[in-house]
Protein backbone atom coordinates (compact mmCIF):
# COMPACT_ATOMS: atom_id res chain seq x y z
CA UNK A 1 0.00 0.00 0.00
CA UNK A 2 1.24 3.50 -0.78
CA UNK A 3 1.65 5.70 2.29
CA UNK A 4 -0.01 9.07 1.73
CA UNK A 5 1.04 12.40 3.21
CA UNK A 6 -0.27 15.90 2.85
CA UNK A 7 3.19 17.13 1.94
CA UNK A 8 6.42 15.38 1.00
CA UNK A 9 9.62 17.37 1.24
CA UNK A 10 12.43 15.90 -0.84
CA UNK A 11 15.79 16.90 0.62
CA UNK A 12 16.57 17.36 4.30
CA UNK A 13 19.05 20.25 4.21
CA UNK A 14 18.32 23.74 5.53
CA UNK A 15 15.59 24.37 2.95
CA UNK A 16 13.78 21.07 3.39
CA UNK A 17 13.98 20.93 7.19
CA UNK A 18 12.80 24.51 7.50
CA UNK A 19 9.78 23.75 5.29
CA UNK A 20 9.11 20.61 7.31
CA UNK A 21 9.24 22.49 10.63
CA UNK A 22 6.61 24.98 9.50
CA UNK A 23 4.40 22.23 8.01
CA UNK A 24 4.67 20.09 11.14
CA UNK A 25 3.75 23.03 13.34
CA UNK A 26 0.78 23.68 11.03
CA UNK A 27 -0.33 20.10 11.79
CA UNK A 28 0.24 18.86 8.26
CA UNK A 29 1.11 15.20 7.83
CA UNK A 30 4.59 15.61 6.39
CA UNK A 31 7.38 13.32 5.27
CA UNK A 32 10.97 14.36 4.59
CA UNK A 33 12.95 12.09 2.26
CA UNK A 34 16.63 12.83 2.62
CA UNK A 35 19.62 11.18 0.97
CA UNK A 36 21.86 12.76 3.63
CA UNK A 37 24.48 14.45 1.43
CA UNK A 38 24.25 18.18 2.21
CA UNK A 39 26.32 20.48 0.05
CA UNK A 40 28.39 22.03 2.84
CA UNK A 41 29.39 18.67 4.38
CA UNK A 42 33.12 19.25 3.56
CA UNK A 43 33.19 22.38 5.77
CA UNK A 44 33.83 22.17 9.51
CA UNK A 45 31.87 25.35 10.23
CA UNK A 46 28.89 27.20 8.84
CA UNK A 47 29.25 30.97 8.85
CA UNK A 48 26.95 33.92 8.32
CA UNK A 49 23.73 32.45 9.71
CA UNK A 50 22.62 34.96 12.31
CA UNK A 51 22.72 33.35 15.78
CA UNK A 52 24.35 30.16 14.38
CA UNK A 53 27.59 31.66 13.05
CA UNK A 54 30.35 29.05 13.32
CA UNK A 55 28.10 26.08 14.09
CA UNK A 56 29.21 22.79 12.47
CA UNK A 57 26.86 22.02 9.53
CA UNK A 58 26.16 18.50 10.81
CA UNK A 59 25.10 19.88 14.21
CA UNK A 60 22.82 22.44 12.56
CA UNK A 61 21.02 19.69 10.64
CA UNK A 62 20.86 17.37 13.66
CA UNK A 63 19.12 20.14 15.65
CA UNK A 64 16.75 20.70 12.72
CA UNK A 65 15.87 17.01 12.57
CA UNK A 66 15.20 17.01 16.32
CA UNK A 67 12.93 20.04 15.96
CA UNK A 68 10.80 18.58 13.16
CA UNK A 69 10.40 15.30 15.07
CA UNK A 70 8.76 17.26 17.94
CA UNK A 71 5.86 18.06 15.63
CA UNK A 72 5.40 14.56 14.28
CA UNK A 73 7.16 15.07 10.95
CA UNK A 74 8.60 11.80 9.67
CA UNK A 75 12.03 11.61 8.06
CA UNK A 76 13.43 8.72 6.05
CA UNK A 77 17.03 8.35 4.94
CA UNK A 78 16.39 7.43 1.30
CA UNK A 79 16.57 8.91 -2.19
CA UNK A 80 13.58 9.85 -4.34
CA UNK A 81 14.31 8.40 -7.76
CA UNK A 82 11.04 8.77 -9.61
CA UNK A 83 7.97 10.98 -9.39
CA UNK A 84 4.71 10.76 -11.33
CA UNK A 85 2.38 13.57 -12.35
CA UNK A 86 0.05 12.66 -9.47
CA UNK A 87 2.94 12.93 -6.98
CA UNK A 88 3.63 9.24 -6.32
CA UNK A 89 7.29 9.06 -5.42
CA UNK A 90 9.41 5.96 -5.73
CA UNK A 91 12.35 5.78 -3.36
CA UNK A 92 15.65 4.01 -3.99
CA UNK A 93 14.66 1.43 -1.35
CA UNK A 94 11.64 0.51 -3.49
CA UNK A 95 9.00 2.14 -1.25
CA UNK A 96 6.39 4.33 -2.89
CA UNK A 97 4.98 7.35 -1.05
CA UNK A 98 2.35 9.81 -2.17
CA UNK A 99 1.50 13.40 -1.30
CA UNK A 100 -0.90 16.17 -2.22
CA UNK A 101 1.91 18.74 -2.42
CA UNK A 102 5.68 18.54 -2.94
CA UNK A 103 8.63 20.62 -1.86
CA UNK A 104 11.76 19.93 -3.92
CA UNK A 105 14.76 20.89 -1.76
CA UNK A 106 17.38 18.63 -3.30
CA UNK A 107 20.21 21.18 -3.42
CA UNK A 108 23.08 21.18 -5.89
CA UNK A 109 26.38 19.38 -6.35
CA UNK A 110 29.72 21.13 -6.80
CA UNK A 111 31.80 19.73 -9.63
CA UNK A 112 35.35 20.73 -8.78
CA UNK A 113 38.08 21.64 -11.29
CA UNK A 114 40.19 18.57 -12.12
CA UNK A 115 43.41 19.81 -10.55
CA UNK A 116 45.34 17.48 -8.30
CA UNK A 117 44.74 18.31 -4.63
CA UNK A 118 41.63 20.46 -5.12
CA UNK A 119 39.01 17.83 -4.19
CA UNK A 120 40.98 16.67 -1.13
CA UNK A 121 41.32 20.20 0.26
CA UNK A 122 37.83 21.53 -0.65
CA UNK A 123 36.13 23.19 2.32
CA UNK A 124 39.47 23.47 4.17
CA UNK A 125 41.98 25.68 2.34
CA UNK A 126 40.46 25.26 -1.12
CA UNK A 127 37.36 27.42 -0.92
CA UNK A 128 34.69 28.76 -3.22
CA UNK A 129 32.81 31.36 -1.20
CA UNK A 130 34.45 34.30 0.60
CA UNK A 131 31.22 35.06 2.45
CA UNK A 132 31.36 31.54 3.92
CA UNK A 133 35.07 31.41 4.81
CA UNK A 134 36.76 34.72 3.90
CA UNK A 135 36.92 36.05 7.45
CA UNK A 136 38.57 32.87 8.73
CA UNK A 137 41.41 33.11 6.17
CA UNK A 138 41.73 36.89 6.04
CA UNK A 139 45.13 38.39 5.22
CA UNK A 140 46.61 35.06 4.11
CA UNK A 141 48.29 34.45 0.75
CA UNK A 142 45.37 33.79 -1.61
CA UNK A 143 45.34 32.17 -5.01
CA UNK A 144 42.34 32.17 -7.33
CA UNK A 145 42.06 29.47 -9.97
CA UNK A 146 40.43 30.78 -13.14
CA UNK A 147 38.23 28.32 -14.98
CA UNK A 148 36.05 30.81 -16.84
CA UNK A 149 36.43 34.52 -17.64
CA UNK A 150 33.88 35.06 -14.79
CA UNK A 151 36.60 34.02 -12.36
CA UNK A 152 37.88 37.61 -12.62
CA UNK A 153 34.92 38.59 -10.45
CA UNK A 154 35.98 36.09 -7.79
CA UNK A 155 39.58 37.38 -7.84
CA UNK A 156 38.31 40.93 -7.34
CA UNK A 157 35.84 40.04 -4.60
CA UNK A 158 38.32 38.06 -2.51
CA UNK A 159 40.68 41.05 -2.51
CA UNK A 160 38.30 42.44 0.12
CA UNK A 161 39.71 39.79 2.50
CA UNK A 162 43.42 39.84 1.60
CA UNK A 163 45.69 42.22 -0.22
CA UNK A 164 47.90 39.30 -1.33
CA UNK A 165 45.97 37.73 -4.21
CA UNK A 166 47.46 35.81 -7.15
CA UNK A 167 45.10 35.07 -10.03
CA UNK A 168 46.13 31.88 -11.89
CA UNK A 169 44.67 32.06 -15.39
CA UNK A 170 44.89 28.24 -15.75
CA UNK A 171 42.41 27.43 -18.57
CA UNK A 172 41.56 31.06 -19.40
CA UNK A 173 43.56 32.83 -22.10
CA UNK A 174 45.03 36.22 -21.25
CA UNK A 175 43.30 37.57 -24.36
CA UNK A 176 39.91 36.72 -22.78
CA UNK A 177 40.37 39.38 -20.09
CA UNK A 178 38.66 42.62 -21.02
CA UNK A 179 40.28 46.03 -20.58
CA UNK A 180 37.96 46.62 -17.62
CA UNK A 181 39.08 43.31 -16.08
CA UNK A 182 42.74 44.27 -16.39
CA UNK A 183 42.17 47.76 -14.98
CA UNK A 184 40.22 46.44 -12.00
CA UNK A 185 42.67 43.61 -11.26
CA UNK A 186 45.49 46.11 -11.33
CA UNK A 187 43.63 48.61 -9.12
CA UNK A 188 42.92 45.81 -6.61
CA UNK A 189 46.60 44.83 -6.60
CA UNK A 190 45.85 41.30 -7.89
CA UNK A 191 48.86 39.61 -9.53
CA UNK A 192 47.92 37.78 -12.77
CA UNK A 193 49.81 34.57 -13.63
CA UNK A 194 49.18 32.97 -17.03
CA UNK A 195 49.58 29.23 -17.57
CA UNK A 196 47.98 26.00 -16.51
CA UNK A 197 48.03 24.92 -12.88
CA UNK A 198 49.25 21.34 -12.50
CA UNK A 199 48.55 20.73 -8.83
CA UNK A 200 48.62 21.90 -5.25
CA UNK A 201 51.49 21.49 -2.82
CA UNK A 202 50.28 20.09 0.49
CA UNK A 203 52.62 19.91 3.48
CA UNK A 204 51.76 18.97 7.07
CA UNK A 205 48.09 18.74 6.13
CA UNK A 206 47.88 22.28 4.75
CA UNK A 207 48.13 24.03 1.42
CA UNK A 208 51.50 25.68 0.94
CA UNK A 209 51.75 26.21 -2.80
CA UNK A 210 50.27 26.16 -6.28
CA UNK A 211 52.43 24.51 -8.95
CA UNK A 212 52.26 25.40 -12.63
CA UNK A 213 52.51 22.78 -15.36
CA UNK A 214 55.73 22.51 -17.36
CA UNK A 215 56.14 24.72 -20.42
CA UNK A 216 53.76 27.48 -19.30
CA UNK A 217 54.53 31.14 -20.08
CA UNK A 218 55.09 31.86 -16.37
CA UNK A 219 57.75 29.21 -16.03
CA UNK A 220 57.12 25.46 -16.21
CA UNK A 221 56.91 23.77 -12.85
CA UNK A 222 57.19 27.04 -10.92
CA UNK A 223 55.56 26.86 -7.48
CA UNK A 224 53.88 29.93 -5.99
CA UNK A 225 53.63 29.98 -2.20
CA UNK A 226 49.91 30.18 -1.41
CA UNK A 227 47.94 29.32 1.73
CA UNK A 228 44.42 29.45 0.35
CA UNK A 229 43.04 28.75 -3.12
CA UNK A 230 39.65 29.98 -4.28
CA UNK A 231 38.00 27.93 -7.03
CA UNK A 232 34.69 28.15 -8.87
CA UNK A 233 33.09 24.69 -8.90
CA UNK A 234 30.61 23.97 -11.68
CA UNK A 235 27.17 23.96 -10.03
CA UNK A 236 25.09 20.92 -10.92
CA UNK A 237 21.53 21.51 -9.66
CA UNK A 238 19.80 18.33 -8.55
CA UNK A 239 16.80 18.97 -10.79
CA UNK A 240 15.98 15.49 -12.16
CA UNK A 241 12.67 15.28 -10.27
CA UNK A 242 11.65 18.74 -11.48
CA UNK A 243 12.40 17.60 -15.03
CA UNK A 244 10.32 14.45 -14.55
CA UNK A 245 7.43 16.61 -13.34
CA UNK A 246 7.76 18.85 -16.41
CA UNK A 247 8.61 22.02 -14.46
CA UNK A 248 9.92 24.84 -16.62
CA UNK A 249 13.63 25.41 -16.05
CA UNK A 250 15.62 28.51 -16.92
CA UNK A 251 19.22 28.26 -18.01
CA UNK A 252 21.72 30.36 -16.07
CA UNK A 253 25.54 30.44 -16.21
CA UNK A 254 25.33 28.29 -13.06
CA UNK A 255 22.95 25.57 -14.29
CA UNK A 256 19.22 25.18 -14.97
CA UNK A 257 16.85 26.20 -12.17
CA UNK A 258 13.05 26.14 -11.96
CA UNK A 259 10.96 29.16 -12.88
CA UNK A 260 9.21 30.14 -9.64
CA UNK A 261 6.49 32.51 -8.52
CA UNK A 262 7.08 34.76 -5.52
CA UNK A 263 6.08 31.96 -3.11
CA UNK A 264 8.54 29.47 -4.60
CA UNK A 265 5.93 27.50 -6.56
CA UNK A 266 7.22 26.02 -9.82
CA UNK A 267 5.25 26.07 -13.06
CA UNK A 268 3.76 22.70 -11.99
CA UNK A 269 0.83 23.45 -9.65
CA UNK A 270 1.40 21.87 -6.24
CA UNK A 271 5.19 21.68 -6.57
CA UNK A 272 7.43 24.14 -4.75
CA UNK A 273 11.23 24.40 -4.87
CA UNK A 274 13.53 25.94 -2.27
CA UNK A 275 17.22 26.35 -1.49
CA UNK A 276 19.98 25.46 -3.92
CA UNK A 277 17.53 23.36 -5.95
CA UNK A 278 15.91 26.69 -6.79
CA UNK A 279 18.95 28.93 -7.15
CA UNK A 280 22.73 28.82 -7.20
CA UNK A 281 23.34 31.67 -4.74
CA UNK A 282 21.11 30.51 -1.89
CA UNK A 283 23.15 30.42 1.31
CA UNK A 284 21.93 28.44 4.31
CA UNK A 285 19.88 31.28 5.78
CA UNK A 286 18.21 32.03 2.43
CA UNK A 287 17.53 28.33 1.87
CA UNK A 288 15.84 28.09 5.27
CA UNK A 289 13.82 31.25 4.54
CA UNK A 290 12.65 29.91 1.18
CA UNK A 291 11.61 26.64 2.80
CA UNK A 292 9.60 28.57 5.38
CA UNK A 293 7.85 30.66 2.72
CA UNK A 294 6.97 27.61 0.62
CA UNK A 295 5.58 25.75 3.63
CA UNK A 296 3.38 28.61 4.81
CA UNK A 297 2.01 29.03 1.28
CA UNK A 298 1.32 25.31 0.94
CA UNK A 299 -0.53 25.23 4.26
CA UNK A 300 -2.80 28.11 3.25
CA UNK A 301 -3.35 26.71 -0.21
CA UNK A 302 -4.30 23.24 1.09
CA UNK A 303 -6.69 24.81 3.58
CA UNK A 304 -8.46 26.90 0.91
CA UNK A 305 -8.62 23.93 -1.46
CA UNK A 306 -10.27 21.78 1.19
CA UNK A 307 -12.67 24.54 2.31
CA UNK A 308 -13.73 25.19 -1.28
CA UNK A 309 -14.31 21.48 -1.82
CA UNK A 310 -16.41 21.35 1.37
CA UNK A 311 -18.51 24.31 0.20
CA UNK A 312 -19.20 22.57 -3.12
CA UNK A 313 -20.40 19.32 -1.45
C1 LIG B 1 32.29 23.79 1.23
C2 LIG B 1 31.05 24.63 1.39
C3 LIG B 1 30.93 25.47 2.47
C4 LIG B 1 29.80 26.26 2.62
N1 LIG B 1 29.74 27.10 3.70
C5 LIG B 1 28.64 27.86 3.88
C6 LIG B 1 28.58 28.76 4.99
O1 LIG B 1 29.51 28.87 5.79
N2 LIG B 1 27.45 29.50 5.12
C7 LIG B 1 26.40 29.41 4.25
O2 LIG B 1 25.40 30.10 4.45
N3 LIG B 1 26.46 28.57 3.18
C8 LIG B 1 27.54 27.79 3.00
N4 LIG B 1 27.60 26.94 1.92
C9 LIG B 1 26.41 26.82 1.04
C10 LIG B 1 25.42 25.82 1.65
O3 LIG B 1 25.98 24.54 1.54
C11 LIG B 1 24.08 25.88 0.96
O4 LIG B 1 23.59 27.20 1.03
C12 LIG B 1 23.04 24.97 1.62
O5 LIG B 1 23.55 23.66 1.75
C13 LIG B 1 21.74 24.96 0.82
O6 LIG B 1 20.80 24.18 1.50
P1 LIG B 1 19.79 23.23 0.72
O7 LIG B 1 18.85 22.71 1.75
O8 LIG B 1 19.25 23.90 -0.46
O9 LIG B 1 20.70 22.03 0.12
P2 LIG B 1 21.59 20.94 0.86
O10 LIG B 1 22.08 21.41 2.16
O11 LIG B 1 22.61 20.50 -0.14
O12 LIG B 1 20.57 19.76 1.14
C14 LIG B 1 19.99 19.02 0.10
C15 LIG B 1 19.67 17.64 0.64
O13 LIG B 1 18.84 16.96 -0.32
C16 LIG B 1 19.30 15.64 -0.45
N5 LIG B 1 18.87 15.12 -1.75
C17 LIG B 1 19.29 15.47 -2.99
N6 LIG B 1 18.62 14.77 -3.93
C18 LIG B 1 17.76 13.97 -3.26
C19 LIG B 1 16.80 13.01 -3.68
N7 LIG B 1 16.57 12.74 -4.97
N8 LIG B 1 16.09 12.36 -2.72
C20 LIG B 1 16.29 12.62 -1.41
N9 LIG B 1 17.19 13.52 -0.95
C21 LIG B 1 17.91 14.17 -1.87
C22 LIG B 1 20.82 15.76 -0.31
O14 LIG B 1 21.39 14.52 -0.04
C23 LIG B 1 20.92 16.78 0.83
O15 LIG B 1 20.86 16.14 2.09
C24 LIG B 1 28.73 26.18 1.70
C25 LIG B 1 28.86 25.32 0.60
C26 LIG B 1 30.00 24.57 0.44
C27 LIG B 1 30.14 23.68 -0.77
Amino acid sequence: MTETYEVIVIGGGAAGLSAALVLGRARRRTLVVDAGEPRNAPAAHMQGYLSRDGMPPAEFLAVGREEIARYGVELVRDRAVDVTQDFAITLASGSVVHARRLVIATGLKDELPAVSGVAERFGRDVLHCPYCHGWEVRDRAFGVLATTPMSVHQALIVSQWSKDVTFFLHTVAEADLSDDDRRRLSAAGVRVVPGEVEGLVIEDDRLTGVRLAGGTPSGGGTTYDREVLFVAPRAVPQNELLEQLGAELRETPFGAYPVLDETGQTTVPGVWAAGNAAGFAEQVINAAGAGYRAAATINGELLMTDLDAAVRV
Side-chain angles (χ1 to χ4, degrees), residues 10-16 33-43 45-49 61 78-81 105-110 122-123 128-129 131-133 238 240-241 274-277 282-285 287:
I10 305 175
V33 181
D34 183 33
E37 294 167 0
R39 183 179 172 208
N40 55 353
H45 302 282
M46 173 188 84
Q47 311 292 157
Y49 193 119
L61 295 179
D78 211 327
R79 179 173 288 279
V81 289
T106 45
L108 67 76
K109 292 257 180 253
D110 293 288
F122 187 55
H128 76 299
C129 161
Y131 297 100
C132 306
H133 310 288
Q238 303 296 285
E240 298 84 1
L241 299 170
N276 277 157
E282 298 290 80
Q283 298 292 82
V284 181
I285 199 161

Side-chain angles (χ1 to χ4, degrees), residues 154-274:
Q154 192 177 32
L156 294 172
I157 289 286
V158 302
S159 72
Q160 176 65 16
W161 282 269
S162 171
K163 292 301 158 214
D164 180 2
V165 181
T166 300
F167 186 38
F168 297 98
L169 288 185
H170 188 47
T171 55
V172 172
E174 242 180 318
D176 289 340
L177 302 186
S178 69
D179 289 344
D180 273 352
D181 290 341
R182 287 170 211 279
R183 271 195 293 272
R184 285 182 176 150
L185 288 164
S186 161
V190 174
R191 175 167 54 156
V192 178
V193 172
E196 197 182 328
V197 170
E198 182 182 73
L200 307 188
V201 183
I202 312 297
E203 291 168 320
D204 297 330
D205 197 28
R206 62 189 182 88
L207 174 68
T208 58
V210 172
R211 193 177 57 250
L212 294 190
T216 63
S218 314
T222 307
T223 294
Y224 289 78
D225 291 345
R226 296 289 92 188
E227 299 171 282
V228 175
L229 183 69
F230 281 90
V231 300
R234 191 174 79 85
V236 184
Q238 303 296 285
N239 54 21
E240 298 84 1
L241 299 170
L242 290 164
E243 282 182 341
Q244 287 178 26
L245 286 160
E248 190 184 333
L249 302 180
R250 70 196 150 81
E251 285 297 336
T252 77
F254 309 103
Y257 297 90
V259 173
L260 303 177
D261 70 13
E262 66 282 2
T263 73
Q265 187 169 207
T266 68
T267 53
V268 179
V271 179
W272 275 256

Side-chain angles (χ1 to χ4, degrees), residues 289-310:
Y292 193 120
R293 189 186 311 115
T297 311
I298 290 170
N299 178 53
E301 196 262 327
L302 279 174
L303 181 66
M304 298 315 153
T305 302
D306 291 344
L307 292 176
D308 290 349

Side-chain angles (χ1 to χ4, degrees), residues 4-22:
T4 296
Y5 295 84
E6 292 183 284
V7 188
I8 294 179
V9 179
I10 305 175
L17 291 179
S18 176
L21 179 63
V22 175

